[in-house]
Amino acid sequence: MDADERFEVLLAILVAAVAMIAGLVAWRASVADDASGDADYAGLRAAVNAEETRTLNAVNAYQNYGAYVAFWRNWRMAGLLEGQLQQAASEEEAAWLSEQLADANNLANAARPLVQTRFMNRDGSYNVQREIGEGWADAAKEKELEYDGQFQEADTLASKSLRLLLALMILTIAPIFYSLIESVPGKIKWILLTAGSLFLAGGLLFAILIELGKV
């Protein structure tokens, strides 16, 4: 095999290598782009879940807080009325106070079953934020609520896809030099071969570094 034949074989190998590597890089860029889309969708779904959970937790917590306030107000009112009843100056006043006391007790008893006692503090106050936090924790066990990480992953993968496409562009410059070899004489062929091979090596190295997370 003479020098020209060896040159032709080398050129054919390099062209085949460019095609194979470019196809592989294009595939990896497509995979990264698809994964970015999936992560972005997951982030949007998690964001919707989070907003829905915040809204429902707030509604439920403040409904329960309203039941606590109704119970506490009527319970305190019953205590005050009972004290006034003991000091009633007349039967009419006593009868009116008794009626008001019965109403207050009835309202307090109606609200009592709705009070979420596990969210009451030791001083008798109601901890709305703790109820909201517990509701969030319970919801997080059933569905995804953290969306920041999903969006960050989507951005990272989208950036990776773009960098891989840049590596692909570098790789596709090599065949341009290889295609010009047929139309030039002598040593210029080797210059073009070297230039094309540098772009091939540069694009391949760039793609490898991207896959390794180095760039």
Side-chain angles (χ1 to χ4, degrees):
M1 183 181 294
D2 60 21
D4 288 339
E5 290 177 340
R6 288 196 297 271
F7 184 87
E8 291 295 331
V9 171
L10 176 60
L11 180 60
I13 292 173
L14 290 173
V15 170
V18 171
M20 181 182 68
I21 295 170
L24 181 62
V25 172
W27 169 67
R28 292 301 300 164
S30 176
V31 169
D33 186 62
D34 289 343
S36 174
D38 292 341
D40 194 47
Y41 175 76
L44 289 173
R45 185 172 55 189
V48 171
N49 289 341
E51 291 306 314
E52 181 183 30
T53 300
R54 286 192 186 98
T55 301
L56 292 176
N57 285 347
V59 169
N60 292 333
Y62 281 100
Q63 281 182 343
N64 293 333
Y65 181 61
Y68 161 79
V69 170
F71 165 75
W72 184 86
R73 183 182 65 243
N74 289 291
W75 176 73
R76 289 288 296 164
M77 179 64 70
L80 293 173
L81 289 170
E82 189 172 356
Q84 291 181 0
L85 180 59
Q86 294 175 359
Q87 300 174 6
S90 65
E91 292 183 1
E92 291 182 357
E93 183 181 359
W96 183 81
L97 289 171
S98 296
E99 183 179 348
Q100 296 300 312
L101 175 60
D103 289 342
N105 281 326
N106 288 335
L107 291 172
N109 290 332
R112 185 190 298 272
L114 302 177
V115 177
Q116 303 296 315
T117 55
R118 68 181 185 277
F119 299 119
M120 291 178 64
N121 298 317
R122 291 184 178 180
D123 61 1
S125 60
Y126 196 84
N127 195 327
V128 176
Q129 293 305 316
R130 189 171 71 188
E131 181 175 359
I132 291 175
E134 184 174 305
W136 179 273
D138 290 340
K141 296 176 183 177
E142 300 177 359
K143 53 188 176 183
E144 182 62 49
L145 300 178
E146 296 299 328
Y147 51 88
D148 287 339
Q150 301 282 2
F151 287 139
Q152 289 175 2
E153 182 182 0
D155 291 341
T156 299
L157 289 168
S159 178
K160 177 182 178 180
S161 178
L162 288 175
R163 293 196 302 274
L164 285 171
L165 289 175
L166 178 59
L168 180 62
M169 291 176 61
I170 295 172
L171 285 168
T172 55
I173 296 175
I176 297 175
F177 287 97
Y178 294 154
S179 64
L180 294 174
I181 290 176
E182 298 280 339
S183 59
V184 296
K187 294 182 179 180
I188 299 178
K189 292 184 177 182
W190 286 101
I191 295 174
L192 292 176
L193 183 71
T194 301
S197 299
L198 288 174
F199 278 100
L200 170 59
L204 176 59
L205 178 61
F206 188 31
I208 291 173
L209 292 174
I210 293 169
E211 285 294 335
L212 294 176
K214 301 298 184 180
V215 294

